[in-house]
Amino acid sequence: MTFDSITSLITKIIDVLLVWGAFYYILKNLRKNVKMVLLFKGILIIVALKIISDLLNLVTIGYILDYIITWGPLALIVIFQPEIRNVLEYLGRSQLLGRHKVLTVDEREKVVYEITNAMEYLKKARIGALMVIERDNSLTDYIEKSKKIYADISSDLLISIFFPNNPLHDGGVIIQGDKITSAGAVFPTSENMKISKRLGTRHRAALGISEIGDSIALIVSEETGRLSIAMNGELNYNLTTDEIKLILLEELRPKRSILMEDEEEGEDDEIIQND
């Protein structure tokens, strides 16, 4: 094989990988957006009708479908402009290596302790609350539109923020690393039709922010005092404090710490074998 043929082969492989990567990303995030799922089904129906009309030589329906296929993309851009903007914003917020502070074991345990301690108090007092923990996807857009705090995380501060007489208690708190960055944040509500009508604005906002990023949203119900957590477009309802604590400890664990621990375990095994 010549150098040109090798270069051409590599280029084609990269081209195919990029296309499959784009399809994978679209399909992975498609299930999180109800409108996009309906749009995708509609496109499949139109394609199926077009194939049938060509096979059966249906002139009239074929002409209409040709017209839809020609001008459909332009109409979709206009109709689904908000959804397209959300996808582009998601791409802009995504960072390959992550941006959130990597917490040590002690810092992670302290953050989880303070959050769950506050949630336990709010649960008993029937005080509603919404806390969103930033991970790889930036929440800067929501921080800029909320009240800046940037204070060390503590259960007392979280409780005081959500106290009914506090002007910021209606919004959400954003947590970055071991800091409370802002309060009074407003998040987009989920449009998932499968959500129970009994769930209020806090639960819908928590689910909404989890659908467009990788953040963790924690909710305390004002009416029932039940605790919930939203991640990856899914809502886990009516959890105990211990269950939330275990979930947070696992989800906030740095990815590279697993590799480091594996390496450390490997080194320990080698030391034991040598001994």
Side-chain angles (χ1 to χ4, degrees):
M1 296 179 66
T2 63
F3 178 77
D4 291 338
S5 61
I6 295 175
T7 304
S8 177
L9 178 61
I10 294 175
T11 303
K12 291 179 180 179
I13 293 174
I14 294 174
D15 186 26
V16 172
L17 290 176
L18 289 175
V19 172
W20 277 109
F23 273 110
Y24 171 77
Y25 176 83
I26 293 172
L27 293 175
K28 179 182 177 182
N29 293 277
L30 187 64
R31 62 183 179 84
K32 300 179 182 180
N33 193 310
V34 178
K35 288 186 177 179
M36 295 303 288
V37 170
L38 296 175
L39 172 62
F40 186 72
K41 290 180 179 179
I43 293 174
L44 290 179
I45 292 173
I46 291 174
V47 172
L49 289 175
K50 177 60 178 173
I51 294 174
I52 294 172
S53 67
D54 290 342
L55 292 175
L56 301 179
N57 196 23
L58 303 176
V59 180
T60 305
I61 190 68
Y63 176 78
I64 295 174
L65 291 174
D66 287 337
Y67 186 80
I68 293 175
I69 293 172
T70 302
W71 297 101
L74 180 60
L76 292 177
I77 292 175
V78 175
I79 297 172
F80 291 92
Q81 183 180 358
E83 284 71 23
I84 295 173
R85 185 176 65 250
N86 288 337
V87 171
L88 295 176
E89 288 178 353
Y90 177 80
L91 288 173
R93 286 193 295 266
S94 301
Q95 299 194 19
L96 184 60
L97 299 178
R99 66 180 304 278
H100 66 288
K101 176 183 177 183
V102 178
L103 301 174
T104 64
V105 175
D106 292 338
E107 289 174 335
R108 186 166 71 251
E109 290 180 351
K110 180 180 185 301
V111 168
V112 173
Y113 170 79
E114 298 294 344
I115 291 175
T116 53
N117 194 35
M119 294 183 72
E120 183 64 25
Y121 177 90
L122 296 170
K123 173 184 178 180
K124 293 178 179 178
R126 296 290 178 87
I127 298 175
L130 172 59
M131 312 173 200
V132 178
I133 304 174
E134 181 189 80
R135 292 202 281 182
D136 287 340
N137 300 134
S138 173
L139 297 175
T140 302
D141 292 344
Y142 305 102
I143 294 173
E144 291 177 351
K145 299 175 183 177
S146 58
K147 184 66 176 178
K148 313 296 189 303
I149 296 178
Y150 200 74
D152 291 335
I153 190 169
S154 70
S155 57
D156 292 337
L157 180 56
L158 289 171
I159 292 170
S160 64
I161 289 173
F162 292 109
F163 200 76
N165 293 329
N166 193 313
L168 300 175
H169 82 282
D170 282 334
V173 161
I174 295 178
I175 299 172
Q176 291 179 311
D178 57 351
K179 303 288 184 182
I180 300 176
T181 305
S182 66
V186 179
F187 303 106
T189 56
S190 175
E191 297 182 2
N192 193 330
M193 302 300 293
K194 297 180 181 179
I195 302 176
S196 173
K197 295 181 179 180
R198 294 179 299 174
L199 299 179
T201 306
R202 286 192 179 91
H203 290 84
R204 293 179 180 275
L207 191 57
I209 192 63
S210 73
E211 289 174 346
I212 60 176
D214 65 345
S215 57
I216 302 173
L218 304 164
I219 316 100
V220 181
S221 174
E222 187 174 354
E223 296 181 357
T224 63
R226 292 177 177 175
L227 309 180
S228 306
I229 185 168
M231 295 185 303
N232 303 319
E234 296 182 358
L235 180 67
N236 296 306
Y237 186 69
N238 193 21
L239 301 176
T240 65
T241 308
D242 290 335
E243 288 174 333
I244 289 180
K245 185 180 296 183
L246 291 175
I247 292 173
L248 290 179
L249 286 173
E250 179 62 27
E251 293 296 329
L252 296 178
R253 184 179 182 181
K255 297 176 182 178
R256 57 187 177 186
S257 69
I258 300 175
L259 299 176
M260 294 172 63
E261 289 178 4
D262 290 341
E263 292 177 357
E264 291 176 358
E265 290 177 359
E267 292 176 357
D268 293 340
D269 292 341
E270 290 180 1
I271 293 174
I272 292 174
Q273 291 176 359
N274 292 333
D275 290 342

